Amino acid sequence: MKERLIYLAGVPASGKSTLFKRLRAELFADSTPFQYGLLRGIETKEGLYMLGVFDGSTFEGTDRLSMAVINDTLKWFSGLPSEARVFVEGDRLFNERFLRETNAVLLAIDAHPRILQGRHAKRGDNQTETFLRSRRTKFNNIVAKSGCQVWPNNTETESERIYQALKRFAK
């Protein structure tokens, strides 16, 4: 079965939203919003989909979806044509069930702690250390179980490499 969904995963401030913002500007410029139950996203005429709410707020994407969105998302996904390509990032759907049932390609990214700290400071995050540790633990556990490679995202060159991998998935 050909993979139809790519999931960009990473701890907070690893660069997921920044990469997806760039992807939206290039591949989703003429997209339209869609809704299916609790699921919201954008779609193109070419059959590309990006899940989440994109309204210019600080935490866009799947973070803006309901905590109960998984069942509607899986039902929606099962009805997509085989040529559709779906992009997902963030924490809301980042769990073993979703990754398994969608046969997702997991693209895991991370950055050096100093880089992460600088990004948190730059955007004025108020996420607690407890929350950040919990996201790190979740990320590490799912990545270890999946056996996927973790791509570093510390520099512009590394970010470009990840971006090009995302773009290749759209084709």
Side-chain angles (χ1 to χ4, degrees):
M1 170 191 276
K2 183 165 173 72
E3 291 86 1
R4 299 184 299 154
L5 186 142
I6 190 162
Y7 204 115
L8 182 64
V11 296
S14 58
K16 302 176 304 292
S17 296
T18 300
L19 285 159
F20 264 43
K21 184 180 259 188
R22 185 175 169 200
L23 198 65
R24 281 196 325 273
E26 185 171 341
L27 299 180
F28 289 83
D30 295 323
S31 64
T32 56
F34 75 87
Q35 184 168 356
Y36 182 91
L38 296 174
L39 175 63
R40 293 170 63 189
I42 55 177
E43 63 182 314
T44 69
K45 292 176 183 168
E46 295 78 30
L48 298 178
Y49 297 85
M50 186 177 283
L51 305 187
V53 176
F54 306 101
D55 57 6
S57 60
T58 301
F59 297 106
E60 293 184 304
T62 61
D63 290 343
R64 299 289 311 279
L65 297 174
S66 165
M67 295 295 278
V69 73
I70 190 169
N71 290 330
D72 286 346
T73 306
L74 289 171
K75 187 174 180 184
W76 168 83
F77 183 78
S78 70
L80 284 179
S82 61
E83 64 275 4
R85 296 292 172 262
V86 181
F87 293 88
V88 185
E89 64 87 18
D91 192 59
R92 185 69 73 233
L93 294 164
F94 185 52
N95 60 65
E96 291 177 34
R97 175 185 174 208
F98 185 78
L99 296 171
R100 180 184 63 251
E101 291 188 27
T102 59
N103 194 35
V105 173
L106 180 58
L107 179 52
I109 65 172
D110 203 353
H112 187 277
R114 186 182 77 258
I115 300 291
L116 294 172
Q117 185 177 34
R119 290 175 183 166
H120 283 296
K122 183 177 179 181
R123 64 186 196 191
D125 286 353
N126 60 358
Q127 297 167 324
T128 67
E129 285 302 316
T130 301
F131 174 79
L132 294 174
R133 278 193 308 272
S134 74
R135 300 304 85 195
R136 167 65 65 191
T137 299
K138 179 181 179 181
F139 174 77
N140 288 345
N141 287 343
I142 292 174
V143 166
K145 190 164 189 171
S146 74
C148 78
Q149 170 189 352
V150 177
W151 298 37
N153 190 25
N154 299 296
T155 66
E156 289 297 321
T157 301
E158 291 170 342
S159 184
E160 183 63 27
R161 180 176 166 235
I162 296 164
Y163 180 71
Q164 292 304 322
L166 289 167
K167 276 183 52 177
R168 280 191 302 275
F169 181 79
K171 298 186 184 316

